[in-house]
Amino acid sequence: MAIDYQKLMALKIPDGHQTYTYKDTILYALSIGYGTDPLNTEELPFVYEKDIRAVPSMAGVLAHPGFWARDLDTGIDWVRMVHSEMGLILHKPLPPNASLISKSRILEVVDKGEGRGAIVQHERMFLDRNSGELLCTSVQSIFCRGDGGFGGPPRSLQPPHPMPERPADWIHEQATTPGMALLYRLNGDWNPLHADPKIANKAGFERPILHGLATYGVACKALLDTVCENDPSRLASIFCRFTAPVYPGETLRTEIWLDGNVVSYRVKALDRDLIVLNNGKAELREPIYT
């Protein structure tokens, strides 16, 4: 079965529903590295119920509609697909407690050609169940390695955000823990690729890898710490491309450039001198000039 462009564009993805509390908010923050220094009062509001704040990237694990690429009639070879891009537009700060409804739709399908795969871009809007207020919107792309050449109409996506050529304005380093993926799984992504060494080996990895969205969370944490003074309300959006997997236990270096209200960033796994997240772009609600 192959992708049918018109059919996939018209796909009805089920709504997602989730009620979460401050305990879920704290778990998410702990799973991306908050709380390693219990005396760090700047990070304490993300892991302590008094005046608790939600990390904006937590939206990526909330009100998930299920594994629609596999469970619905999509034509996608889901075994060979990978998460390639992730972005969040934050209309309001994410509440630490809420009941959400998510509504998803396919935005575009790009046929890269036979043997070159396809890109499926989809959007998910997160609304407060009680008020109907739109809190944030995610825009994600999946690279379907086995689905190129299905005959889709000519399409192209926006080029990646260009990275500055000057030295970074900030460097933020975080050592991940060997058990980070096992903790991050508790946010709802139970893919055994992140836990079972045998399954990781079959997929071509030397050991279980970290979730891409966990790396994205580490980058969000770095931006909050360096350009937002750990105030999530300052962040308006955060986008990136995933370029390589991370192994739990590696040290991640986030390089950050600031130009007014536009933040460019990328993440490198220092142990392998490898860029694992690239072409990152975030926007601040108010510009900062250094």
Side-chain angles (χ1 to χ4, degrees):
M1 183 171 59
I3 287 176
D4 180 308
Y5 177 82
Q6 296 297 338
K7 186 177 180 180
L8 189 53
M9 288 295 297
L11 185 72
K12 300 297 183 182
I13 301 175
D15 291 347
H17 301 266
Q18 184 174 353
T19 297
Y20 66 94
T21 71
Y22 73 91
K23 291 184 179 181
D24 302 291
T25 300
I26 290 174
L27 172 62
Y28 176 81
L30 291 171
S31 75
I32 60 170
Y34 280 96
T36 55
D37 179 1
L39 299 181
N40 185 337
T41 57
E42 295 297 318
E43 293 188 3
L44 190 60
F46 296 99
V47 292
Y48 178 44
E49 60 272 20
K50 182 182 178 182
D51 301 322
I52 187 158
R53 303 170 183 173
V55 183
S57 55
M58 183 174 72
V61 303
L62 296 176
H64 201 279
F67 198 172
W68 55 265
R70 178 193 63 189
D71 299 337
L72 302 181
D73 185 12
T74 63
I76 294 173
D77 180 0
W78 59 268
V79 175
R80 300 181 63 191
M81 75 178 202
V82 294
H83 198 170
S84 57
E85 296 185 359
M86 175 67 187
L88 281 172
I89 302 168
L90 304 158
H91 310 292
K92 294 193 65 176
L94 192 66
N97 308 272
S99 290
L100 299 181
I101 298 176
S102 71
K103 295 184 176 294
S104 303
R105 66 185 179 111
I106 305 295
L107 294 178
E108 189 54 276
V109 184
V110 179
D111 186 354
K112 295 174 67 67
E114 185 69 34
R116 299 178 59 200
I119 301 290
V120 178
Q121 187 180 67
H122 60 100
E123 173 188 84
R124 189 181 309 154
M125 297 186 296
F126 299 85
L127 301 97
D128 184 276
R129 182 182 297 170
N130 298 317
S131 68
E133 185 176 26
L134 179 62
L135 299 176
C136 60
T137 302
S138 75
V139 180
Q140 305 180 48
S141 294
I142 54 175
F143 178 43
C144 305
R145 293 178 292 172
D147 294 303
F150 63 86
R155 291 287 188 273
S156 62
L157 297 175
Q158 287 187 334
H161 174 65
M163 301 303 296
E165 297 183 0
R166 68 181 191 271
D169 299 316
W170 281 277
I171 298 291
H172 184 282
E173 291 188 3
Q174 176 178 326
T176 66
T177 64
M180 187 172 183
L182 297 175
L183 180 59
Y184 191 86
R185 293 179 79 237
L186 301 181
N187 294 305
D189 187 339
W190 300 100
N191 189 335
L193 176 66
H194 307 293
D196 191 327
K198 292 182 179 179
I199 290 179
N201 290 159
K202 288 181 179 179
F205 301 107
E206 61 184 64
R207 61 184 189 271
I209 62 174
L210 190 63
H211 306 67
L213 285 181
T215 305
Y216 176 73
V218 169
C220 184
K221 178 178 182 289
L223 298 187
L224 290 176
D225 184 50
T226 54
V227 298
C228 296
E229 296 184 340
N230 283 304
D231 180 357
S233 69
R234 295 190 178 189
L235 193 61
S237 66
I238 175 170
F239 286 77
C240 74
R241 303 182 81 191
F242 301 108
T243 53
V246 171
Y247 291 106
E250 292 186 306
T251 296
L252 300 180
R253 170 183 286 175
T254 304
E255 301 173 341
I256 301 165
W257 293 262
L258 179 63
D259 295 285
N261 73 321
V262 175
V263 182
S264 303
Y265 69 97
R266 66 185 173 208
V267 179
K268 178 180 289 187
L270 289 185
D271 310 64
R272 292 174 289 150
D273 192 28
L274 180 67
I275 295 174
V276 296
L277 188 157
N278 206 1
N279 305 106
K281 178 184 177 182
E283 291 182 303
L284 306 177
R285 298 197 188 280
E286 298 290 340
I288 299 175
Y289 298 101
T290 57

